Amino acid sequence: MAQSYIPAGTDVICTEMLSTLPSQIVTERDAKVLYGKENKALLNICDKKLTCQLKCRIKVSYYEGLGSLLLGLTLGAAAVAFSVITFGAGTAVVAAAVITTGALGGAAIFYSNKADDCRQAPHECDSTKGGTWELFHRKVYIEKANALLERSFLTCQKGGIVSLVMSHEKALELSKKISDSNKKILELNLYSNALQGLIGSGANAFKASSGWDVAGLIIGSGLAVYDYVSGADENYRNKNMQNQHEYARKILKGEQAELEADGSILKPEMGRDAGVSGVLTAGEASVGVIGSNGEVLKTLGRWGAEEVSQGNNVSRAFWRVFTGRTAKNVGKQMVSKSIKDIIDKTNLQKLGVGVVASMISNSIELGMNKEENDLYKEFIDKINDARGESKGGINIKAVGQ
């Protein structure tokens, strides 16, 4: 089937667009090979400039997802604060819970606003200048560079795939379809992260009554944010989005591809989180043991200071032996108390709630990713179908050759 060469001003669409209107591709060079009565430049692989912003989904998705995650964490933190207040925790514990809730809420607002700014970011589509054309004409050159064809597509350096559409009506139709799908994907991403944050931090509210529960909230929230930001590459794409981009590239090249949803019900992070919970429980028990041996430890500290300044070899040797035995006894009590507290009914219940909450959260992420991918595959198929509807080629007019 014949493929047209591409005149400047041809409509383009992008897999990541939120705009309902297409952009156009133009040249920034002094073109000599022109087409038609309007003397439009014929484009080659050096031409990557788009006339207008297509409103990229990628960075919006990242910041909107982070903002919604923080919103969920905020709601969970509020539940923890309510719980420790109900159980009559001390002023410092309540204050820590309230401050944590406020800090998470402030961060949620900040990143939500940042997502709104990204929707209107100027010159975002100039990232295409660092991209790469594929499926260009291997044998025909326009001004010493391979000619572009209808089937050619440009992979933006941020990950989106820019396609050429010869029919303006078809470009409008595809733009609307892609934009609507991407907005639905953003909604799914927002709900997914908000629910994960709420479930993750809300699990800490189960029988929360002490500063250690608040410490668990703070550490757990920090780890949730860390997992989110560390799971994205330098272009703000998470693993599922990277899978989408690779899928689109393969399909538009005519290759076989499967789009797998990123995620799993059981993740390695669950083991880490359970370990943190165990350490906090052990720490809570240790504080009690240290407190009950407070006078002994104070005496050891006072003796140590005296021995450094006034002691002799005999007294120092005695002090070292006594200190070693005391430390050993206190350590045994700490280990024994920690093990006992870890297998305490309430702590086992808390651990169970945490594990179940993680599994539910992971299931939500996996399910939402599958729904996102279904929407993504649907419009990629429509883009691919449109690229097979070519009506023929165009003539080339050489000027000044």
Side-chain angles (χ1 to χ4, degrees):
M1 180 172 58
Q3 286 277 317
S4 291
Y5 296 108
I6 306 301
T10 296
D11 286 324
V12 295
I13 56 174
C14 178
T15 56
E16 302 308 308
M17 66 190 296
L18 294 172
S19 171
T20 56
L21 297 174
S23 182
Q24 291 75 42
I25 186 164
V26 294
T27 184
E28 296 180 295
R29 56 191 168 80
D30 184 17
K32 298 291 192 299
V33 180
L34 308 176
Y35 163 73
K37 295 180 180 179
E38 297 179 357
N39 285 338
K40 293 182 177 180
L42 285 173
L43 304 182
N44 61 33
I45 58 173
C46 297
D47 300 314
K48 302 172 183 177
K49 172 69 175 176
L50 305 189
T51 57
C52 64
Q53 166 74 298
L54 289 171
K55 300 181 182 178
C56 186
R57 168 177 73 109
I58 297 173
K59 199 179 289 188
V60 173
S61 177
Y62 177 83
Y63 285 120
E64 198 168 75
L66 181 55
S68 60
L69 173 66
L70 287 162
L71 173 61
L73 292 172
T74 301
L75 296 175
V80 173
F82 178 78
S83 180
V84 294
I85 291 172
T86 302
F87 275 90
T91 303
V93 174
V94 172
V98 172
I99 290 172
T100 300
T101 303
L104 290 170
I109 294 171
F110 175 81
Y111 285 110
S112 295
N113 289 337
K114 200 167 180 66
D116 289 336
D117 292 340
C118 290
R119 290 178 185 273
Q120 307 300 330
H123 312 304
E124 186 78 8
C125 285
D126 273 353
S127 295
T128 57
K129 293 183 180 181
T132 304
W133 282 105
E134 298 188 58
L135 298 186
F136 46 82
H137 205 303
R138 295 287 178 179
K139 296 181 179 179
V140 173
Y141 292 80
I142 296 176
E143 297 180 24
K144 300 181 180 181
N146 296 89
L148 293 182
L149 300 170
E150 282 184 79
R151 67 181 183 181
S152 303
F153 65 87
L154 175 65
T155 301
C156 176
Q157 63 181 2
K158 292 187 177 297
I161 309 296
V162 177
S163 302
L164 300 156
V165 186
M166 303 304 288
S167 164
H168 184 61
E169 290 73 19
K170 177 60 70 172
L172 290 172
E173 177 188 329
L174 288 172
S175 296
K176 181 70 165 57
K177 173 63 178 176
I178 296 170
S179 174
D180 288 347
S181 296
N182 278 330
K183 288 172 183 175
K184 289 178 183 177
I185 289 173
L186 284 177
E187 289 177 5
L188 290 171
N189 183 57
L190 188 151
Y191 296 147
S192 173
N193 284 290
L195 286 172
Q196 289 178 70
L198 174 59
I199 292 170
S201 65
N204 291 287
F206 179 74
K207 296 187 177 181
S209 58
S210 70
W212 292 95
D213 295 308
V214 177
L217 165 69
I218 295 170
I219 295 172
S221 298
L223 289 174
V225 173
Y226 169 79
D227 289 340
Y228 183 91
V229 299
S230 64
D233 67 9
E234 60 183 6
N235 288 320
Y236 302 96
R237 305 176 306 163
N238 60 30
K239 181 62 176 175
N240 199 61
M241 187 179 286
Q242 293 174 45
N243 290 345
Q244 290 172 354
H245 294 164
E246 184 61 22
Y247 172 82
R249 182 174 172 274
K250 287 183 177 180
I251 292 297
L252 296 184
K253 285 186 72 175
E255 299 175 1
Q256 293 294 320
E258 294 292 334
L259 181 52
E260 296 292 335
D262 180 56
S264 173
I265 295 177
L266 299 175
K267 289 186 174 183
E269 291 84 355
M270 293 175 64
R272 177 201 64 193
D273 296 343
V276 169
S277 178
V279 169
L280 290 173
T281 302
E284 185 175 10
S286 299
V287 167
V289 173
I290 292 172
S292 65
N293 288 276
E295 290 304 316
V296 174
L297 296 175
K298 276 195 242 178
T299 301
L300 287 175
R302 186 176 67 254
W303 283 6
E306 291 174 354
E307 289 302 326
V308 169
S309 60
Q310 304 175 19
N312 53 46
N313 290 337
V314 174
S315 62
R316 285 182 183 136
F318 173 78
W319 180 77
R320 282 196 297 270
V321 171
F322 182 75
T323 300
R325 288 180 177 176
T326 303
K328 185 177 179 180
N329 290 334
V330 172
K332 283 182 177 179
Q333 292 180 54
M334 289 172 63
V335 171
S336 175
K337 186 71 166 59
S338 297
I339 293 174
K340 181 180 178 181
D341 280 6
I342 288 174
I343 61 176
D344 173 79
K345 179 181 177 181
T346 299
N347 286 324
L348 288 176
Q349 288 176 338
K350 288 182 178 180
L351 179 61
V353 168
V355 170
V356 171
S358 293
M359 293 176 66
I360 293 173
S361 178
N362 293 341
S363 297
I364 290 172
E365 180 184 25
L366 180 59
M368 292 293 190
N369 283 344
K370 288 180 178 178
E371 288 192 48
E372 289 180 18
N373 289 352
D374 288 342
L375 290 166
Y376 192 86
K377 286 190 290 187
E378 184 180 346
F379 72 69
I380 292 298
D381 287 342
K382 290 189 176 297
I383 293 173
N384 204 32
D385 290 343
R387 293 166 75 242
E389 297 174 359
S390 173
K391 301 299 182 183
I394 61 175
N395 295 319
I396 297 177
K397 176 184 176 183
V399 176
Q401 296 291 312

